[in-house]
Amino acid sequence: MKPYDVIAIGELNVDLLLNRIDGFPEIGKEKFAGDMLLTLGSSTAIFAANSAALGVRTGFAGMIGRDTFGELVKRSLRDKGVDTRFVIESDACATGATIVMNYGEDRANLTYQGAMDRMRFADVDKELFALTRHIHLSSVFMQSGLMQDLGELLRYARSQGVTVSLDTQWDPAETWNFDCRTLLPLIDVFLPNEKELMALTRRATVDEAIREVVPYLGNAAVVKCGSRGSLLVRRDGSVHALDACLNRHVVDAIGAGDSFNAGFVRCFVQGRPLEECQRLGNLIGAVSTTAAGGTGAFASREAVVRTAREVFGQEIDL
Ligand SMILES: Nc1ncnc2c1ncn2[C@@H]1O[C@H](COP(=O)(O)OP(=O)(O)OP(=O)(O)O)[C@@H](O)[C@H]1O
Ligand SMILES: [Mg+2]
């Protein structure tokens, strides 16, 4: 019996959220924000935190600096029940940070990638592959070190009998340099959203984009479609559309995709059928929209069970 169900490998940073800002930043001038919050950031960390909240034994392998932000990242992961023994502290660079300037529904982000951009596969302790059933990767375009070694990492995971899920997330440079032919066959669950899949395959519709990736799928892909739900795509080309769980009072959709991933993967590592994984993914994605931020709805297992029951009328056993 392996001690971890899932180890997330990748990006770790902090988010400094500034709200109620009196205008846009200007060179040579000082502006004020009415409110500020310093918190654990990154898609992969939201996945890991919410995965732990669903009762999945979750670890993290990522790179931080030996600094105050790094301490905050580690403490936040631990507080959320995520094991940090594989987190690497680098002396060479600082922990990454994103300054998020919120203007109503819109936001301007400024990121220093720092340590998370530097991590290479050679830095990752290979022992973790013997200790986990599954690994999850996200935001690969934001991690140039890991991206260079992605093929090697995926092949190693396969050789160790460890299954893999991967969410590309958006490519900020929009070059979409991701070789589907060589990488997709090594990924058990591919988890892009519809815009990302179209950009990645350079196709104008989701249907065409799906047709493009089907021949290379290692096992399955799930295409996330926001409030319209998700599409489960199998290697034989069949597509199963599942409507989202209706939430009439969406607080925000931050981290809905990562929460979907956490729900899907929870079911997947238990060896459940893919359609069941998709159902839990949709439900957990919807649960995420009931509270602020990516982890607000995941304070505890009980909180998730209660939200599923009271808001969505669904009983889940976590
Ligand atoms: N407004 C909503 N109401 C109900 N469920 C939702 C809503 N928005 C998202 N979901 C659920 O969460 C899943 C993932 O959301 P979404 O498609 O926004 O992912 P994403 O684009 O990858 O998001 P992220 O910005 O977190 O990366 C959807 O497939 C859906 O099941
Ligand atoms: Mg996403």
Side-chain angles (χ1 to χ4, degrees), residues 191-298:
L191 295 155
N193 71 20
E194 50 188 350
K195 276 195 202 141
E196 291 151 4
L197 184 69
M198 287 191 285
L200 196 70
T201 54
R202 294 163 174 85
R203 291 292 176 271
T205 68
V206 179
D207 287 350
E208 286 175 71
I210 287 175
R211 271 200 295 278
E212 187 70 19
V213 294
V214 160
Y216 310 114
L217 291 182
N219 179 25
V222 190
V223 185
K224 290 167 281 178
C225 313
S227 58
R228 284 176 290 108
S230 60
L231 305 169
L232 170 66
V233 184
R234 293 173 202 267
R235 233 160 40 151
D236 63 7
S238 64
V239 178
H240 181 256
L242 184 64
D243 286 342
C245 304
L246 187 63
N247 179 8
R248 289 181 200 285
H249 307 285
V250 172
V251 176
D252 69 49
I254 297 171
D258 302 309
S259 304
F260 177 100
N261 297 346
F264 191 99
V265 168
R266 180 188 197 274
C267 227
F268 185 78
V269 295
Q270 291 177 334
R272 311 297 305 166
L274 291 169
E275 287 188 14
E276 202 178 305
C277 303
Q278 183 186 20
R279 272 201 299 281
L280 191 64
N282 270 17
L283 177 60
I284 300 301
V287 165
S288 162
T289 67
T290 64
T295 60
F298 297 86

Side-chain angles (χ1 to χ4, degrees), residues 111-128:
T111 293
Y112 168 67
Q113 287 173 282
M116 66 177 165
D117 193 43
R118 298 274 192 99
M119 187 173 79
R120 303 292 302 257
F121 184 49
D123 298 313
V124 175
D125 184 345
K126 305 298 176 294
E127 192 198 347
L128 71 82

Side-chain angles (χ1 to χ4, degrees), residues 8-17 38-50 60-64 72-74 76-77 80 82 87 95-100 107 109 111-113 116-117 136-140 142-143 167 169 254-259 261 293-295:
I9 303 181
E11 31 145 20
L12 284 173
N13 71 324
V14 295
D15 281 346
L16 181 68
L17 308 166
L38 180 62
T39 178
L40 175 66
S42 99
S43 152
T44 322
I46 293 173
F47 165 86
N50 294 352
F60 208 107
M63 194 181 267
I64 52 176
L72 183 132
V73 162
K74 269 209 330 203
S76 307
L77 284 172
K80 291 177 183 301
V82 178
V87 171
T95 303
T98 296
I99 297 173
V100 182
R107 53 176 65 190
N109 288 3
T111 293
Y112 168 67
Q113 287 173 282
M116 66 177 165
D117 193 43
H136 178 76
L137 304 162
S138 185
S139 306
V140 287
M142 305 246 272
Q143 306 175 77
D167 183 340
Q169 300 286 21
I254 297 171
D258 302 309
S259 304
N261 297 346
T295 60

